[in-house]
Each structure stands twice: as C-alpha cells, then as structure tokens.
C-alpha cells in the first residue's frame, strides 16, 4: 500500500461540521463520542476527530464557527461526503447570518453532490421553533437533497436518531436503534423518586415508584456502594438493574423481550447517570425529568 | 542571557461573535504580522492545558493554553506564549509555566487583565528564578534544573 492510499484511507467517510460560533458543533461531536454533555471552549481553527463504528472508520472535521475561520470551510470540502451544518435554533437573531454562511457552501455542496445534513441544535431551549419554520426561514425547500433533524447536545434529545441518519448518509449502511429498557426511573441519592420514563404502561410506572421496590431503592441509597450494579428479579415484570452514582440512583427494567443483552442495558444506564452527573442537574432537581425524558429518546 | 525574550498573551473568547486576538506583547519588539503571531500563539486545533512548540524567526516559541472562566458564556481559550532563545531547554521550562497558571487559578488571579498587567514581572521572575508578586500574593519560581544549554563550544584540548 503506497502513501497516497494510506492518506485516502485516513480521510475515508469524511464529514465536516460547520455552523456559526456557539451553535454547538464540538458539543455534538463529543456527545457522539462519549454519550454525555461536555461544555467546550471555542474551537481554534479546526479539530479532527476519528471514530470507528461497526468497523467503519469515520472522520469528522470540526470547523471553528467564528467569522475569522469561516473562510476555511470551503477549503475543507474536498473529499467530503457529508456536510453537517449546525443551527442554534434558540438564537433566531442569528438565523440571517447562518443562512448567509450556508449559502456560501451550497454551490460546492450541490456541484460535488455532497450530502447536507442540518442539525437544529438546542431543542431543549427552543422546543417551539418548528422544523417547518426553519425550512422556511433558511429557504431549504430550494435545496435538493438535504435532511434536517432536531437535537440537543445538552440533554441528548434526538442524538441517536441524528447519528443514525448521519451514519447512513456517510456510509450507506444502517444502524438499528435498540430499546434497552422497558422503563427507567431516576431517584436522588436519598432514594427520592425524580422521574420515570418508558413504556406507556401505568402498572410498570407504579411498580417503579411503589412498595418494596422503593424500599429497596431507599435501602440501596443508604449504602456506600457507588458504580456497581445490583440486579434483582421480579417475576411479574422482569429484571431490575440498579446503579448508583454520587448524586443519583437509576433503576432500569429489562426483560428478554427486548432482545438486548443485559450488559448493554447496564452500560446504557451507566451512561445516562454519567450524563446527569456531568450536566450537574443535581443542583436543580426540577430539571431532571426533562433532561431524562430527552436523553431517553436515544435509548427507549 | 535571558531565558524568555518576549511574552505574548492571546485569547479566543467564549462569547458569541468573538475572534482570536493578540492581547498583549511584552516587550513589543516582534517584527511579524498579527496573523503570524495569532497562528503561533494560538495554533489551529489548540485545546486547553496543552503546550505547543514552534519556531519564530531565529527563536523558538513555547505556548501554553488554558481556560479563563466566564459566568454568562462559554469559557475563553487563552494562551501565554514565550519567545525563547534556541538554547533554552523547553522541558525544564514547562513545569514553571503550568505551576504559575495553576497558582493564578487557585488565587483567583487568572484573568486577562492581571496577566497582561504583570507580564514584565512574570518574565523577570522566570528569567531570574525569583519570586513573582501579583496582588500581594507571591509565587516562587522554583526550578533546580538549568533552563539553558551550556555553551556548545568544543571542550578539551586539541
């Protein structure tokens, strides 16, 4: 293999993430890598991130969004399969500026037949801004071959669906979204219930909040065990996985019908609790239900 | 001979609409464009708490990046760049820089204004391995290792 084929392999499945400063590009990429919210300083120029998903190598170029760096975006389109343009849907005052920057990319995107995927980020702050209004504002109906999805790289809302679309566009392959639990409930570290998400089955929800289960959670809260999973079997409902972190306890109801290995569900519960910890919502427990609800769009 | 010849403070603020800029150069004797200084003092791909090395004319430049916290926006990416003589042993200088920035952070002194205002003292403290006093707080530059290579002139007898 010569050196040029090596370079070609390294930039296979190349995507570039563009969008105005503070739109959330780096936060999205980190969420895709780590499954949790991480706040970033501004991107200086560009950053390269590489990932391997199901044996497929993906290359992300995270392009700085400051006006100083925008001239670099066009130069990075060579060999690119997908442009992800990130819009901060909570910042309507900058829609016109974002539209101008997108318009500068469109001739090359269309000429080179590059796929365009638009992430309407910060859905947690602006849930009422509809996709149809964004399509109208950005005149996306004049563009052929684009897709737009709502996400929040802070709460995790829609991130799995967005990644599935992105992966499919980039590689032509599909990833199946799996439900890892029948329901998930979250308690504070004292065992007080904060929220329950899952199947629209009131009996399951009441099971997770009542009786012996809540007693078990409370007893667990009093232990000093952190980050180790306990399991117990309910003949009626299935297997409960319970994990504790510094500020939260999570209980996940799993059963065979999910067709997901139990260790995958355990990992998903751990990631959810890590996400809650890194989002620092223990300081404001009233925001936990929304955060959990939005994150659970990825795993339920 | 001085270890640090020139120091540069640069930053990319976290607020919306910011751009990278050079905030201060001391002494202001660099004869290169601002674009060059930005690219050397805040290299592309720079992330916080890292060192970057490059050449600047006939000298070397050592850059350390760090975060400056903000309450109402993302944190800033800031850097302190030290223009050095080629003979400076960068490995021995790095711990001084990280300890200084950690100390500024721990004393709540890590702001652009304070760093800019005290650049002459910082350079002097590093060059002389002496105490740097900022806002009545003292940082002792401790370094047992040599910061510069001994003369490379041939030793011994011919």
């Amino acid at each position: 293999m010569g050196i040029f084929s090596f370079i070609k392999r390294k930039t296979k499945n190349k995507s570039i993430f563009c969008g105005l400063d503070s739109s959330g590009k780096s936060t999205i990429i980190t969420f895709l890598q780590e499954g949790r919210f991480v706040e970033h300083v501004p991107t200086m120029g560009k950053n390269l991130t590489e990932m391997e998903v199901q044996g497929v190598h993906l290359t992300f170029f995270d392009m700085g969004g400051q006006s100083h760096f925008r001239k670099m975006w066009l130069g990075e389109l060579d060999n690119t399969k997908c442009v992800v343009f990130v819009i901060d849907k909570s910042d309507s005052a900058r829609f016109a500026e974002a539209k101008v920057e997108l318009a500068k990319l469109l001739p090359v995107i269309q000429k080179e037949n590059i796929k365009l995927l638009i992430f309407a980020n910060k859905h947690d702050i602006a849930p009422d801004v509809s996709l149809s209004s964004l399509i109208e504002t950005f005149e996306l109906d004049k563009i052929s071959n684009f897709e737009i999805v709502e996400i929040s790289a802070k709460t995790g809302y829609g991130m799995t669906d967005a990644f599935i679309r992105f992966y499919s566009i980039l590689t032509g392959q599909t990833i199946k979204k799996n439900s890892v639990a029948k329901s998930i409930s979250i308690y504070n570290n004292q065992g007080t219930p904060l929220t329950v998400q899952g199947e629209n089955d009131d009996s399951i929800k009441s099971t997770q909040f009542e009786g012996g289960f809540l007693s078990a959670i409370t007893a667990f809260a009093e232990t000093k065990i952190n980050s180790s999973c306990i399991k117990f079997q309910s003949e009626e409902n299935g297997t409960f996985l319970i994990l504790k972190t510094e500020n939260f306890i999570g209980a996940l109801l799993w059963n065979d019908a999910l067709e997901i290995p139990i260790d995958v569900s355990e990992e998903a519960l751990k990631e959810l609790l890590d996400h809650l910890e890194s989002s620092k919502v223990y300081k404001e427990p009233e925001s936990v239900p929304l955060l959990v609800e939005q994150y659970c769009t990825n795993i339920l | 001979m001085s270890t640090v010849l020139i120091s540069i403070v640069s930053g990319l603020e976290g607020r919306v609409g910011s751009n990278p800029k050079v905030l201060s150069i001391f002494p202001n004797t660099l004869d290169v464009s601002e674009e060059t200084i930005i690219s050397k003092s805040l290299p592309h791909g720079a992330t916080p708490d890292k060192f970057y090395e490059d050449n600047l004319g006939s000298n070397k430049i050592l850059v350390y990046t760090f975060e400056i916290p903000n309450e109402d926006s993302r944190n800033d990416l800031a850097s302190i760049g030290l223009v050095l003589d080629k003979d400076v042993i960068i490995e021995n200088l790095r711990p001084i820089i990280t300890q200084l920035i950690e100390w500024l952070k721990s004393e709540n002194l890590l702001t652009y204004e304070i760093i800019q205002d005290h650049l002459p003292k910082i350079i002097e403290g590093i060059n002389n391995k002496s105490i740097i006093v900022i806002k009545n707080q003292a940082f002792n530059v401790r370094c047992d290792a040599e910061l510069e290579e001994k003369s490379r002139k041939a030793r011994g007898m011919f």
Side-chain angles (χ1 to χ4, degrees):
Chain A
M1 184 169 64
I3 188 159
F4 293 109
S5 53
F6 171 74
I7 292 167
K8 202 171 171 185
R9 185 180 67 83
K10 288 292 277 183
T11 54
K12 200 177 166 191
N13 297 319
K14 175 184 170 186
S15 59
I16 72 167
F17 281 62
C18 304
L20 300 186
D21 46 306
S22 286
S23 57
K25 301 172 291 296
S26 305
T27 312
I28 292 168
I29 292 172
T30 307
F31 199 105
L32 295 177
Q33 284 182 295
E34 299 183 19
R36 65 191 176 98
F37 168 68
V38 176
E39 191 149 20
H40 283 265
V41 296
T43 301
M44 184 62 211
K46 66 179 174 183
N47 277 326
L48 170 66
T49 301
E50 293 177 286
M51 274 173 78
E52 197 151 314
V53 179
Q54 294 187 348
V56 178
H57 190 87
L58 309 177
T59 310
F60 306 74
F61 283 84
D62 177 12
M63 308 301 292
Q66 281 76 9
S67 56
H68 185 84
F69 303 125
R70 291 177 201 162
K71 56 183 180 288
M72 293 165 48
W73 297 356
L74 272 173
E76 204 54 68
L77 286 176
D78 268 1
N79 255 339
T80 295
K81 275 190 168 180
C82 178
V83 169
V84 177
F85 194 88
V86 181
I87 296 169
D88 174 355
K89 74 190 285 241
S90 73
D91 193 358
S92 56
R94 299 185 82 198
F95 283 173
E97 186 184 357
K99 185 180 167 186
V100 167
E101 298 302 332
L102 176 61
K104 290 177 187 170
L105 300 176
L106 286 176
V108 181
I109 286 175
Q110 289 174 333
K111 185 178 168 216
E112 302 295 328
N113 202 23
I114 298 168
K115 306 285 188 198
L116 174 64
L117 180 57
I118 296 172
F119 284 169
N121 190 28
K122 306 196 185 180
H123 179 73
D124 56 310
I125 306 174
D128 298 333
V129 177
S130 67
L131 287 184
S132 56
S133 72
L134 288 175
I135 289 169
E136 190 181 336
T137 304
F138 282 81
E139 297 185 273
L140 298 174
D141 49 347
K142 294 180 180 169
I143 306 169
S144 58
N145 210 12
F146 83 94
E147 292 190 45
I148 181 167
V149 286
E150 287 173 322
I151 58 166
S152 167
K154 186 165 191 181
T155 64
Y157 177 82
M159 291 298 287
T160 298
D161 290 329
F163 183 73
I164 287 171
R165 286 309 311 138
F166 171 70
Y167 187 82
S168 169
I169 287 170
L170 207 54
T171 67
Q173 299 177 28
T174 54
I175 303 176
K176 191 180 160 210
K177 181 181 171 184
N178 294 311
S179 177
V180 300
K182 289 184 80 176
S183 71
I184 289 177
S185 47
I186 299 296
Y187 308 78
N188 70 13
N189 58 4
Q190 304 300 307
T192 305
L194 298 174
T195 183
V196 58
Q197 302 292 325
E199 285 187 1
N200 192 17
D201 181 339
D202 288 342
S203 66
I204 288 176
K205 290 185 178 177
S206 62
T207 301
Q208 292 231 350
F209 271 155
E210 287 173 8
F213 184 80
L214 193 51
S215 303
I217 289 288
T218 309
F220 185 54
E222 288 166 1
T223 70
K224 292 196 163 94
I225 304 166
N226 270 357
S227 303
S228 63
C229 186
I230 60 168
K231 300 182 179 101
F232 70 84
Q233 193 73 32
S234 152
E235 280 188 14
E236 194 179 343
N237 292 303
T239 305
F240 286 99
L241 306 177
I242 304 173
L243 265 174
K244 186 177 167 192
T245 54
E246 189 180 353
N247 296 291
F248 298 100
I249 297 171
L252 179 152
L253 178 56
W254 179 90
N255 71 16
D256 294 339
L258 296 168
E259 297 179 342
I260 286 287
I262 197 163
D263 56 337
V264 173
S265 296
E266 182 181 329
E267 186 61 28
L269 180 59
K270 185 175 181 309
E271 285 180 357
L272 167 58
L273 294 181
D274 286 346
H275 176 59
L276 293 177
E277 293 288 356
S278 62
S279 301
K280 297 185 170 58
V281 282
Y282 54 85
K283 293 175 182 168
E284 38 193 78
E286 67 280 1
S287 62
V288 171
L290 176 68
L291 189 59
V292 174
E293 181 190 342
Q294 296 211 338
Y295 188 91
C296 282
T297 58
N298 300 301
I299 55 178
L300 292 179
Chain B
M1 186 181 77
S2 297
T3 303
V4 179
L5 305 173
I6 299 168
S7 63
I8 305 162
V9 178
S10 304
L12 176 58
E13 292 173 278
R15 67 177 170 79
V16 166
S18 68
N19 273 309
K21 58 187 174 189
V22 177
L23 296 158
S24 189
I25 302 174
F26 179 83
N28 196 356
T29 52
L30 271 181
D31 190 19
V32 288
S33 69
E34 183 169 354
E35 192 70 18
T36 303
I37 300 172
I38 288 174
S39 69
K40 299 285 183 181
S41 62
L42 272 174
H44 275 200
T47 53
D49 306 320
K50 299 247 169 65
F51 281 103
Y52 300 89
E53 291 175 36
D54 203 346
N55 293 320
L56 186 61
S58 58
N59 297 309
K60 295 191 277 195
I61 179 167
L62 174 67
V63 170
Y64 184 69
T65 51
F66 50 94
E67 285 184 55
I68 291 191
N70 285 317
E71 297 240 320
D72 49 0
S73 67
R74 296 185 289 175
N75 291 346
D76 299 349
L77 176 66
S79 79
I80 183 161
L82 304 177
V83 181
L84 309 166
D85 187 87
K86 287 275 188 193
D87 286 339
V88 170
I89 305 167
I90 283 180
E91 285 68 32
N92 296 344
L93 188 56
R94 286 181 181 203
I96 298 175
I97 310 303
T98 47
Q99 285 162 20
L100 173 66
I101 298 296
E102 282 303 313
W103 173 76
L104 289 168
K105 197 188 292 180
S106 67
E107 299 290 342
N108 288 323
L109 296 171
L110 193 58
T111 68
Y112 290 122
E113 293 74 22
I114 290 174
I115 298 174
Q116 287 173 246
D117 289 349
H118 294 83
L119 267 184
K121 281 187 183 178
I122 290 171
I123 291 189
E124 189 187 340
I126 295 172
N127 284 342
N128 299 331
K129 295 184 185 174
S130 59
I131 291 173
I132 300 170
V133 178
I134 298 177
K135 301 259 180 189
N136 295 325
Q137 304 294 322
F139 175 76
N140 194 358
V141 178
R142 287 202 185 102
C143 181
D144 295 332
E146 290 293 329
L147 291 180
E148 287 137 39
E149 285 182 36
K150 294 258 177 356
S151 169
R152 288 178 184 157
K153 282 181 186 170
R155 292 179 204 148
M157 297 170 67
F158 288 92

